[in-house]
Each structure stands twice: as C-alpha cells, then as structure tokens.
Amino acid sequence: MKKRLALCMTCLLMGIGTAMATVNIIPKPTKVTEREGSFALPKDLTIGYNHASLAPAAAYLQEILTRSTELLVRSKAGKGRIQLTLILPDETNEDYELLSDKKGVLITAHSYRGIINGIATLRQLLPVEVEQDKMMRNPEKNGKGSDGRWEVPAVSIQDSPNFHWRGLMLDPVRHFFSVEETKRLLDQMALYKLNKFHWHLSDNEGFRMEVKAYPELTGDTVAWRRFNGHDRECLNRAAKENNPAMLIPWKYFKEVEGFGELYGGYYTQDEIRDVVDYAAVRGIDIIPEIDMPGHNGAACYCYRWLSCTQNGREPLCLGRQSTIDFAEKVYDEVFKLFPYEYVSIGGDEVNRRRWSECEECKKRIEAEGLKDVSELQAWFTKHMERYFNAHGRRILGWDEILEGGLSKTATVHWWRGDHPDVAQKSTSMGNEVVLCPFTFLYFDYAQDDNTLRKIYDGDIVPVDLTPAQLKLIKGMQANIWCERIPTEARMQWMVFPRALALAEKAWTPRTDQHWDDFLPRLQSHLTRLEAMGIQYRPLQTKRP
Ligand code: ACM
Ligand code: ZN
C-alpha cells in the first residue's frame, strides 16, 4: 500500500498519471511488454554500436537527440547507455528488439534497417519534444532551460514487419519540391517505418532529373513551364478558401528570356546523390521512375525526334532506334545514381493510337511479329527489362505493363482500383505486385473520399489470393500526385495523418489491425506531428 502510494507521489511529481507510461507506437509492434520504471537519459549520453556499419545509424540518432535536447550526446564504437547491436547479420531481415530499463536502452537487429526501425520506436517512446529543434522551442534562451525529463519507459518490444515494401510516391513534376522539402518527407517516413520512396521524376509537365547525355531535358523551357490549368485551379482555390497552402510558391519561378516568368525546377545529379545518401541513413530505398513510353511530353518537346509526329507530342516513337538508344542512355545515368534493385519504367496511360498512325512504329510491329500496339508497348518494356536485368536491376511498372504480355521478372504497381483483377492476374503468372489502388491509396484524393477509416479498415490486400499468390505481394505504398498540391503545406495536409494508417496497414498483420485500438494511438500522435511542424489535417475537418 505504502509502496503504491509512493509510486503515485512520484507520478504526481513527474506530472504523469500512472506509474507506467502508456506506450503508443505506430505502426503497432508485434509484441510490447511494459514494465515499471524508466531510463532517464543522462546529461552525458553515449550511443554505442558493435559494428562499423552501424556508425551512420548512431550518428543519425545522435543528431536527433542533439537537435532536440540539451544533453551532450556522443556516438562511438563500443558500449553506450543506448546500445545498437547487430547480430547474425541478414540484410533481408528488418526485425528488431528494443529493451529498456533504468540502466539504458538496447536495440538489437539483424540488419541496418532493423536498427533504424528500432530507432523509430525509440523516438516514439521519448516525449514528443524529441521531434523539435530546441532552438524553436525556446529561442529567447538559445534553446536552453525548458526541457523536461528525457525518459524512455521500461519496455520489452519484439517487432517484425508484415510487408517489406511500405512506401510513398511523390510527384515533383506537376509541382516541384525542393531537396529540403523532400528530405523532410523522408524524415517523416522514417519515424513511421515507411522504407520505400518512389520518386516520379519525369512527365509531360517537366523533366526533373539532370541527365548529362541529354542536357536539354532540364533546360530552362523544359524543367520550367508556363502556368497551366492546374496552377490556375490551385490559385482559384487559394482565393476561394483563403488558403495560402494552395498558392504557387514564388521560389519556383524563374525569368527566362523570351518566355517571361516560368515555373519549375530540377535536381542536379549531386543533389540526387545527396538525397539518396540521406534516405539510406534513414533505411529508405529510393525507387526512381522515368516514365516511358507515355507521359513524355517534356522530353518530346525538347528532342522532337523522340516522337512519332516529330512535333513534340508524346508518346515516344518505338519504331525508331534513336528512341531506344535514348531510353538506354537515360537509364544508364539512373542506374549510376540510384543503387537499388528496383527502378520504375512507369508505362501508364500511353496514347498508343499514335503508334498505329506512324509508319516507323507500324514497321516495328511487322518486323517483330507483334499483333497490335499493346504488344508494341510490351515489346519495348521487355527490351528495357533485359537492359535493366543486364545492369543488375529489376523493372517495375504501373499495371498497364500487363497489357500485351508481361515477363516473369517485372513487378507490377497495381494502381487502377477499378481493375480489381490486377493482383490476381499478375500473381497467378508469378509476377510480384506492389499495392497502391487509387480506391484506397491515392493521397491526392480528398481525405473525405479515401478516408482514414476506409484505408484502415479496407481489404487493400485482395482476399481472393492463395497463400502462394500472397507471397508475391511485396507490400503497399500511397501515391501523392501533385497536380493540385502546389506546396509542402498542402502535401502534408493530404498525407497526414493517412500515412500513419498506411504504415500500420503495411507493417502490422491484418489480424492485429483494429480501428478502436488504432484511433486512440493515432490521437496521441497528433501532438508528435505538431512537434515535427507537420500541417496535418485534423481529424474532425470537413471538406476541403
Ligand atoms: C497513374 O496514376 N497514372 C499511375
Ligand atoms: Zn512511331
């Protein structure tokens, strides 16, 4: 009795309601055992690691704690009060275990990514202020003097993801996002164990990746463009809703001689390397997409010989060898910049009718014994697939790549929610699938349409797959198309808090997903999102 009272007194003094802090982790871990007590981070804190490969993970955690707390935080090979330990190394295993008690925290995993997952959980065990720059919290005192106790509740967590593909796709073509804005999204993804960033780098409205072999792709009138209908729509909404997040940012305008003010931007190869390195530290793979053969207005505009009509209208002409050479040379540079297994060729929404009117495309169809223009696209995709494979890469494409025949090594992004048989069809042929049906996972769709609840409760994984087919489901991602998303603030409004539902759908087994359990955890995370400066959409908001 006395002991309980003493505990309650301690709680009162510490300003918390119970002896055991409530652990609210998203995505929900496999097993959490809460224990009494906590680890109070000491003024002089060392993060130790047992394997040289973990040095960047330790430095990453050190940076988070140095930015947010007044503590003196170091990281070093060897022992620390926060210990990162790699055992039985296995790159494919993302599991981790986190043990904390009054003496310290131990994160154990089989891979760098597992350790990073453990760090994400540790962040969520710490007070929300860990997500904040101390200088922002208390600027008049140079960040000093306002910190509470930095405590990690005593827990034992064993955790393992259900899917290895847990992603977000961003479209910086329709509206541009700077390197800094992109990095902030990567930071937010890392906190919720989202580990694939699909970067849509080319489209009709612009080409966003510097390609040394084809410098015109990022020329002033290709990576930049005149105002279009979507820009005007955004501005109308900005005015109508009095919403600055819908304004087109001035920082992306540039005066181009003979054209006036144009909108756009691109990433230099150095910037891309920087973003790739930044993501890698956070355990995130970047999947680049250079969309071919459709969605190529920008490339066809500056290199007219790429299109059937030679007047700048897409798609790429597949009858001409020069187009195939172009595709290979562009991807050569992609392969050098992105060190990951998967590269996306896009392949969606191709206006194939143009090929049926092009003499050179017709010749190709005849010479290759193809039946029609769908098979022409499949011929191109298979050619590029061999090229990817020869460079040690695997090809990914939107689900239109199924049409006209698909080879075994291609992975399919199921996006057309109104084609419910895509996962069934692809997996029955032995092809892997990443799920991103627009009916659930298009985050550019209004939050009142693809609602948080719809995403959380939905059967995103089709229920009619056999166990063998289920093994071919790699995971899921949400897509953020940015025609109507002109700013980072608007992007955050569309993405959060839905990204937390996605994270749990992809990490936690379906049988452990319960809305009534998720919602209170989510609510407890809203202050964390605020601390991160995320302009998320409050739960009760009505349109827009
Ligand atoms: C897509 O939304 N066109 C993949
Ligand atoms: Zn053609």
Side-chain angles (χ1 to χ4, degrees), residues 188-440:
Q188 294 152 7
M189 288 175 67
L191 179 61
Y192 292 104
K193 305 188 178 88
L194 294 170
N195 64 352
K196 305 282 180 202
F197 178 62
H198 174 169
W199 214 3
H200 181 78
L201 288 167
S202 71
D203 215 301
N204 293 330
E205 291 82 353
F207 208 96
R208 301 288 179 231
M209 181 189 122
E210 178 188 20
V211 179
K212 304 273 189 201
Y214 298 102
E216 296 292 319
L217 289 173
T218 46
D220 283 356
T221 58
V222 187
W224 281 265
R225 60 168 171 73
R226 289 192 204 281
F227 247 47
N228 65 20
H230 288 127
D231 295 326
R232 279 186 284 278
E233 204 181 314
C234 290
L235 289 180
N236 287 340
R237 284 191 63 174
K240 196 163 143 218
E241 295 161 16
N242 191 20
N243 183 357
M246 293 304 287
L247 291 170
I248 316 292
W250 272 117
K251 61 184 173 179
Y252 299 131
F253 283 88
K254 161 165 156 167
E255 174 77 30
V256 177
E257 215 183 316
F259 289 83
E261 298 271 8
L262 300 184
Y263 169 89
Y266 73 91
Y267 308 110
T268 64
Q269 295 205 351
D270 281 345
E271 285 174 328
I272 289 175
R273 273 188 282 270
D274 178 36
V275 174
V276 167
D277 290 348
Y278 193 86
V281 167
R282 286 149 185 77
I284 298 172
D285 293 357
I286 300 195
I287 292 86
E289 178 190 347
I290 301 292
D291 206 343
M292 292 188 190
H295 284 272
N296 250 292
C300 291
Y301 166 77
C302 61
Y303 293 112
R304 304 235 156 184
W305 45 268
L306 284 171
S307 75
C308 293
T309 47
Q310 310 231 6
N311 64 357
R313 294 168 81 190
E314 54 120 24
L316 300 177
C317 175
L318 299 187
R320 231 169 274 145
Q321 184 55 36
S322 51
T323 310
I324 312 299
D325 294 342
F326 168 83
E328 292 179 357
K329 281 194 191 146
V330 169
Y331 279 111
D332 284 344
E333 297 193 28
V334 169
F335 298 149
K336 284 199 188 110
L337 288 169
F338 296 92
Y340 298 110
E341 186 181 16
Y342 287 93
V343 172
S344 174
I345 194 165
D348 56 324
E349 300 177 313
V350 184
N351 183 354
R352 299 178 187 138
R353 193 178 42 79
R354 296 235 166 88
W355 295 334
S356 54
E357 294 156 4
C358 167
E359 288 312 314
E360 285 168 278
C361 285
K362 283 197 273 192
K363 260 192 228 150
R364 174 85 74 195
I365 288 174
E366 201 186 319
E368 298 292 338
L370 307 172
K371 210 167 65 220
D372 55 21
V373 286
S374 295
E375 288 199 358
L376 181 59
Q377 180 173 349
W379 169 85
F380 171 70
T381 308
K382 284 180 189 164
H383 173 89
M384 293 310 296
E385 181 180 15
R386 285 192 293 278
Y387 195 74
F388 280 32
N389 294 163
H391 289 77
R393 305 313 169 97
R394 300 186 62 180
I395 201 166
L396 254 170
W398 300 113
D399 60 52
E400 287 94 328
I401 66 168
L402 277 169
E403 295 160 8
L406 188 64
S407 78
K408 278 268 188 288
T409 78
T411 300
V412 176
H413 263 128
W414 172 38
W415 74 275
R416 289 181 299 178
D418 55 350
H419 287 57
D421 58 339
V422 165
Q424 177 62 249
K425 224 159 126 184
S426 312
T427 53
S428 66
M429 296 189 306
N431 291 92
E432 292 183 331
V433 178
V434 174
L435 310 168
C436 51
F438 64 67
T439 35
F440 293 103

